[in-house]
Amino acid sequence: MPTSYDIPEVLDRREGPHGEIVLRRHGELLQIIANGCFLMDTSDGRSERLLVDAALGALDGRSGPRLLIGGLGVGFSLAHAAGDPRPGRITVVERESAIIGWHLDGPLAEFSARALADPRTEILETDLVAYVHETSATYDALCLDIDNGPGWTVTEGNDSLYSPSGLAACARVLRPGGVLAVWSAQPSPEFEETLCNAGFQQVRTEEIPVARGVPDVVHLAVRPG
């Protein structure tokens, strides 16, 4: 018989513009579920930290780089970026108001409160796919973690971000020599090829070992300049 510890406790459930979004507690972990699809939890954060480190490490030593993080999630990427003295500005794009609220005055605040108080940090409540097509802002690094990978998107509309037109929009908001870093739950040689065909250079994939199964990865690519 399962114990109460084994049964996730729903802390909040909301209907947003892109469907249902749920925050639940499972033992000591907090989990985010979107439309029944597991997105992430607070168990580790290694891959989110590598996402930031790999992007900053691939830059050319420029001073005070502007960093765009796509997806607030449980706050690991933001917290790690804010703990690094290198970024001059950290912009987080998150489309779900519920997730932002869970960080501002909810259970996820313990993971992000210090980063949110950092004067370099700004949170934009908007859709990332639309943002990279419409914004006039430019960045030195884009760290994207809004899906389980280019071939495993949370919502159908996110597919376009990993297409030639979506990657062209990412390149448009990147400064010359800027870095695109994309988190994925599994490697994708097809996406590497798409990045190369879109004109990105130094395309590579870094693996993050996990306890079981296929390693998580970060796809890295540099805008020529």
Side-chain angles (χ1 to χ4, degrees), residues 71-116:
L72 180 54
V74 296
F76 284 148
S77 295
L78 169 60
H80 193 61
D84 193 309
R86 288 175 290 177
R89 188 70 172 168
I90 305 166
T91 300
V92 181
V93 173
E94 173 56 59
R95 70 182 186 180
E96 296 288 350
S97 61
I99 292 179
I100 296 173
W102 296 333
H103 281 278
L104 292 177
D105 56 10
L108 292 174
E110 64 177 292
F111 300 97
S112 59
R114 181 175 298 181
L116 289 173

Side-chain angles (χ1 to χ4, degrees), residues 107-219:
L108 292 174
E110 64 177 292
F111 300 97
S112 59
R114 181 175 298 181
L116 289 173
D118 192 306
R120 297 173 297 167
T121 299
E122 66 172 342
I123 306 294
L124 303 180
E125 184 182 336
T126 188
D127 183 86
L128 178 68
V129 179
Y131 183 76
V132 296
H133 282 89
E134 299 169 0
T135 185
S136 60
T138 57
Y139 299 90
D140 298 288
L142 271 60
C143 300
L144 307 187
D145 186 9
I146 64 169
D147 294 297
N148 285 321
W152 188 0
T153 57
V154 175
T155 55
E156 185 175 343
N158 286 358
D159 292 350
S160 65
L161 183 65
Y162 311 103
S163 69
S165 63
L167 293 177
C170 290
R172 185 185 70 83
V173 300
L174 276 174
R175 295 170 176 173
V179 176
L180 173 65
V182 180
W183 185 91
S184 179
Q186 58 189 10
S188 176
E190 296 81 8
F191 183 57
E192 287 189 349
E193 183 177 354
T194 303
L195 285 166
C196 291
N197 292 338
F200 283 93
Q201 298 179 348
Q202 303 177 44
V203 175
R204 68 184 190 277
T205 299
E206 294 193 11
E207 293 189 351
I208 308 102
V210 296
R212 295 184 300 275
V214 179
D216 295 338
V217 303
V218 174
H219 295 287

